[in-house]
Amino acid sequence: MEPCQLFQFCPRCGQQPPGAPTAPFRCPACGLVLYFNPAVAVGVILLGPDERALLVRRAHEPAKGKLGLPGGFVDFGETAEEALRREVREEVSLELASFEFLCSAVNAYCYRDVTYPVLDLFFVARAEAVGRAAPLDGVAGLCWLRPAEINLDEIAFPSMRQALRVFNARGGK
């Protein structure tokens, strides 16, 4: 996706710049310069004591019905770590005490006819109180699967599939 394809008109003054759109977007009429940076999201491979990972069944589009890793978008003023804790609490009702960074991956998130470029940051964590896991915000259901046995075709987004590949290539660490 070319980010400059998102704007054909200046979002500040409404003028249509001459020629092909550029990145960053530059409006010669009002001087606006708009950079197209990705949104940031977090996700976690959350392991239980038996080494199975908690997956969520998505309740809404995009990728409704597909499996995903708990996580979501980082809010303004929030660190990736704070967002990860919040998203896990909001989606599956679990608290994270500790976790470690796994990898990052780029993603395109299509929502209401707009494609957002996203940088996904993935972590690995352990869950002790797995019996407290419950499907909450945007989650239709939960399942626990061994990461090496997950059918990647069932996973909602390419970035999540990549994180699972990295995790499995590291021997589940």
Side-chain angles (χ1 to χ4, degrees), residues 101-168:
F101 180 74
L102 174 66
C103 67
S104 62
V106 296
N107 194 25
Y109 189 84
C110 299
Y111 181 71
R112 296 189 178 183
D113 299 326
V114 176
T115 301
Y116 297 89
V118 180
L119 175 62
D120 287 330
L121 307 175
F122 292 100
F123 297 84
V124 177
R126 297 231 168 241
E128 298 301 323
V130 296
R132 294 184 187 156
L136 300 174
D137 185 38
V139 177
L142 304 177
C143 64
W144 293 88
L145 298 170
R146 297 197 185 284
E149 298 171 358
I150 295 170
N151 178 355
L152 296 181
D153 292 335
E154 298 263 340
I155 299 299
F157 302 107
S159 60
M160 290 180 181
R161 291 191 287 274
Q162 178 62 25
L164 286 163
R165 283 187 199 99
V166 169
F167 180 79
N168 287 329

Side-chain angles (χ1 to χ4, degrees), residues 6-134:
L6 295 177
F7 290 101
Q8 297 298 316
F9 297 90
C10 176
R12 180 192 285 162
C13 72
Q15 295 295 312
Q16 184 174 22
T22 61
F25 179 90
R26 297 179 189 275
C27 179
C30 72
L32 174 71
V33 177
L34 182 62
Y35 290 87
F36 296 96
N37 297 323
V40 180
V42 292
V44 64
I45 297 174
L46 184 54
L47 300 170
D50 61 358
E51 301 303 313
R52 291 183 300 155
L54 178 62
L55 297 165
V56 299
R57 179 87 51 196
R58 294 180 56 82
H60 307 293
E61 295 296 348
K64 180 179 178 180
K66 292 275 197 172
L67 292 174
L69 300 173
F73 287 100
V74 177
D75 290 339
F76 284 110
E78 196 174 43
T79 68
E81 294 83 0
E82 290 166 340
L84 187 64
R85 284 186 182 97
R86 176 185 52 76
E87 286 288 348
V88 168
R89 190 171 35 255
E90 289 175 357
E91 289 188 355
V92 298
S93 190
L94 292 177
E95 295 293 332
L96 296 179
S98 64
F99 45 86
E100 59 186 47
F101 180 74
L102 174 66
C103 67
S104 62
V106 296
N107 194 25
Y109 189 84
C110 299
Y111 181 71
R112 296 189 178 183
D113 299 326
V114 176
T115 301
Y116 297 89
V118 180
L119 175 62
D120 287 330
L121 307 175
F122 292 100
F123 297 84
V124 177
R126 297 231 168 241
E128 298 301 323
V130 296
R132 294 184 187 156

